[in-house]
Amino acid sequence: MSSIEHYENFPVASWLCPAHLRPAVQALYHFARTADDLADEGHDPAHHRLEALGEYRADLTNSLSSATTPSQRWPQVFDPLQRAVQQYQLPAQPLFDLLDAFEQDVVYTSVGQGYRDRSELLDYCRRSANPVGRLMLHLYGVSDNTSLAQSDAICTALQLINFWQDRAEDLRRGRDYLPLGHTLAEERRFARALMQEGKPLVHRVKGRAGWELRAVVQGGLRILDKLDARVETADPTQLQRPTLQKTDALRILWRCIRM
């Protein structure tokens, strides 16, 4: 499942996702994936990336308007997204928060800026990761404050795990998410604590969607296990990204059942 293997913030609609929600989940995934590509892929300079994200933001605004101007550049993204927003009355702010985070990535990377402390990094995660869970909970009809807080904890944990597993590649791209004065070991422990804090949410999301969430949680924890066991090197750009094998899938399944 993509959400375990790659930690895409929007999981591709798997067979565990309720069938009637899959088009909406896929629309949200492609919205986020395309924006991420605009911010991160290729060799365009920062100002071109920001221009493209500005156009993308304008198309998002138009797609949410009653007097819609169809997207000329990304119809494959905004046509399905518009249908999902209208069908499920999805809130707009999480979508704009995601774009804020992508734009911040471009700016920070262009000037080699890092994160001064954990609170600054968590504010980034609030916009880059937490909107995902909140949109998914909206689709599942879950809206109580406890569930929202637990979702935020899971999504932030997944985002942090993604940073630490991909740190070598990020450093090669001139990007470092590790807060000043913190160690990777500290930040991995923090991510694990967040995941444990959010874990009870799996019992609030019913049916197959709840099982998919179990797999996401346990997949993240398994990646943390592998990161904890990895031998650190003097040159962090040479660290290998951990991968999940078939034996890990069996372990994750067993842990999902025990939940």
Side-chain angles (χ1 to χ4, degrees):
M1 183 167 57
S2 167
S3 50
I4 291 178
E5 293 177 1
H6 302 298
Y7 285 102
E8 302 286 3
N9 284 325
F10 276 94
V12 177
S14 75
W15 65 272
L16 284 172
C17 178
H20 70 284
L21 294 179
R22 286 176 197 163
V25 174
Q26 289 171 335
L28 292 170
Y29 170 81
H30 288 301
F31 168 79
R33 179 72 269 168
T34 303
D36 191 25
D37 288 345
L38 291 175
D40 227 17
E41 295 301 318
H43 304 284
D44 288 343
H47 68 279
H48 285 171
R49 295 181 185 278
L50 292 174
E51 287 174 5
L53 285 169
E55 294 174 14
Y56 201 74
R57 180 185 291 271
D59 272 6
L60 173 60
T61 300
N62 288 336
S63 73
L64 298 173
S65 169
S66 56
T68 301
T69 302
S71 171
Q72 299 299 311
R73 185 170 176 182
W74 301 283
Q76 74 283 5
V77 171
F78 289 104
D79 289 353
L81 181 65
Q82 184 185 52
R83 290 193 292 271
V85 168
Q86 292 175 347
Q87 182 176 358
Y88 295 101
Q89 297 298 297
L90 292 171
Q93 191 58 50
L95 299 170
F96 286 106
D97 286 344
L98 287 169
L99 296 187
D100 287 346
F102 292 133
E103 289 166 345
Q104 179 174 312
D105 261 340
V106 174
V107 172
Y108 274 35
T109 302
S110 68
V111 297
Q113 182 173 340
Y115 288 84
R116 293 169 295 182
D117 52 40
R118 184 185 286 161
S119 63
E120 189 174 287
L121 181 60
L122 291 180
D123 179 66
Y124 171 78
C125 294
R126 177 185 61 79
R127 289 169 288 123
S128 70
N130 297 0
V132 175
R134 289 178 172 246
L135 286 164
M136 295 300 292
L137 286 187
H138 186 94
L139 289 175
Y140 296 143
V142 179
S143 60
D144 63 280
N145 289 334
T146 298
S147 295
L148 291 173
Q150 291 170 344
S151 172
D152 288 347
I154 290 173
C155 289
T156 293
L158 288 172
Q159 179 73 90
L160 295 175
I161 294 166
N162 186 56
F163 291 155
W164 314 144
Q165 73 170 2
D166 286 340
R167 188 161 187 258
E169 176 63 23
D170 285 335
L171 289 174
R172 289 192 289 268
R173 293 186 177 202
R175 183 181 300 165
D176 190 358
Y177 293 99
L178 185 65
L180 293 176
H182 289 246
T183 68
L184 284 172
E186 289 173 331
E187 295 310 296
R188 291 197 301 268
R189 287 195 294 271
F190 179 69
R192 189 180 293 276
L194 277 178
M195 192 69 86
Q196 296 295 341
E197 179 183 324
K199 197 165 63 170
L201 181 63
V202 305
H203 302 295
R204 294 173 175 267
V205 178
K206 304 302 181 184
R208 291 164 65 175
W211 281 97
E212 182 171 47
L213 182 57
R214 284 170 168 83
V216 169
V217 168
Q218 293 300 339
L221 291 172
R222 184 59 185 150
I223 287 289
L224 275 177
D225 293 342
K226 288 177 171 281
L227 288 171
D228 287 341
R230 187 172 65 179
V231 177
E232 303 293 337
T233 64
D235 182 0
T237 64
Q238 299 305 311
L239 289 173
Q240 295 297 310
R241 186 182 194 269
T243 58
L244 295 178
Q245 310 298 328
K246 289 182 178 179
T247 54
D248 295 306
L250 293 174
R251 188 188 300 260
I252 289 167
L253 176 60
W254 175 242
R255 289 179 175 179
C256 288
I257 294 171
R258 292 187 63 188
M259 291 179 79

